[in-house]
Amino acid sequence: MSDAHDPTPYDALLLLSFGGPEGPDDVVPFLENVTRGRGIPKERLKEVGQHYFLFGGVSPINEQNRALLAALRADFAAHGLDLPVHWGNRNWAPYLTDVLRGMTLAGHRRIAVLATSAYASYSGCRQYRENLADSLAALEAEGLRPPRVDKLRHYFNHPGFVRPMVDGVLASLAELDKEVRDEARFAFTTHSIPTASADSSGPVPEHGDGGAYVRQHLEVARLIVDAVREETGVEHPWQLVYQSRSGAPHIPWLEPDICEHLEELHSAGAPAAVMIPIGFVSDHMEVLYDLDTEAAAKAAELGLPVRRSATVGADPRFAAAVRELLLERAAAERGQAVERCALGALGPSHDLCPIGCCPARAPRPAAAGADSPRL
């Protein structure tokens, strides 16, 4: 095997995602998993679950992860990479601990982990690492020898993640009437998080004023705007906006909300808009409901023509990017010099989350970081 296709020291890849209900009876138990420890009454969870019940109680995220899993396996096979790919979730079956237990019993000792979150933040990185640490501790308590896990770096600015989104924007523009196409505004959307969490996202030197979370999203937005301009000759006005806020009203979260932004665009005389969900890897519930349902209804109420561009999903270019990230990290772990692929000014992200990166309010053990007990 050539070095270019050598996954050593890794003997498996784990696709790690959030998880979602796959039927009406799953909705409240799933939400109980997501909100465990917060003391939220079951009746309130039923109210929150109405978003899922509108779609038959089924979140599309699990099916989308199955599609990505198949795409990764096909890409690996096509490139002679003999490495098993597994899938586990934080909040629903297949549960992370169960999957890691099966991988451990199958003899896997060194596992690379791809999280379905491209950006730095507590909920998008550190919490995944905490869940990994919890699962490894559970295996150890069962008398098993846990494997080592290494989380692959953030891929927000990898061309295999960015270029499919560029093509999605171009396709959305083509769907707009010619009379409004060139004047359409771009609304780049991502999950709103508490401003305190945003300010402390990424390594300590990047903390403050939105931290790495906002900075990374702004970078992706600029990359897409520049690419669209190169393709069409038109530079579209744009803004980074937020969606899916779920916190208490008195706690500051990132703003503006996408629906408020659409109202502002309409008031300013914008003829059309393209909503671009750069913060999401696939079209899961927060895209289907918050954008395709709620924001689309707001736009219709305003009489503002809108289109929603596609997320990356199981695009073959993203699957290829995952392979490149895996092989890049493997070579680095073997002590080889590697060329890391990244677009824009921010450069490639770190392999190992440094101490103080995306801290939790209450410190908890987290795997795959400089402060982790197993390295």
Side-chain angles (χ1 to χ4, degrees), residues 250-292:
H250 67 281
I251 298 175
W253 283 52
L254 293 173
E255 296 177 334
D257 176 77
I258 176 62
C259 289
E260 295 173 356
H261 181 62
L262 292 176
E263 291 178 340
E264 293 170 359
L265 289 179
H266 176 67
S267 298
V274 177
M275 299 183 293
I276 309 166
I278 59 173
F280 305 92
V281 172
S282 64
D283 290 2
H284 54 68
M285 187 56 68
E286 288 173 318
V287 176
L288 292 188
Y289 182 81
D290 295 341
L291 295 183
D292 294 354

Side-chain angles (χ1 to χ4, degrees), residues 20-33 53 57-58 62 92:
E22 300 202 78
D25 293 341
D26 297 344
V27 172
V28 172
F30 162 73
L31 293 173
E32 287 175 334
N33 286 343
F53 292 128
V58 179
N62 278 353
W92 201 248

Side-chain angles (χ1 to χ4, degrees), residues 171-245:
S172 293
L173 285 171
E175 293 174 359
L176 291 170
D177 290 341
K178 291 182 179 179
E179 292 76 14
V180 300
R181 186 177 302 158
D182 288 352
E183 299 300 320
R185 305 309 199 255
F186 288 173
F188 291 96
T189 76
T190 190
H191 205 300
S192 182
I193 61 176
T195 55
S197 180
D199 291 347
S200 61
S201 59
V204 172
E206 297 182 35
H207 290 181
D209 195 23
Y213 186 75
V214 171
R215 191 173 300 114
Q216 290 170 0
H217 281 86
L218 289 173
E219 178 79 344
V220 173
R222 292 188 190 101
L223 289 169
I224 293 174
V225 168
D226 290 347
V228 170
R229 184 186 64 244
E230 291 175 8
E231 293 274 349
T232 66
V234 178
E235 180 153 0
H236 292 262
W238 62 275
Q239 186 169 340
L240 177 63
V241 300
Y242 303 92
Q243 62 176 89
S244 312
R245 173 179 173 144

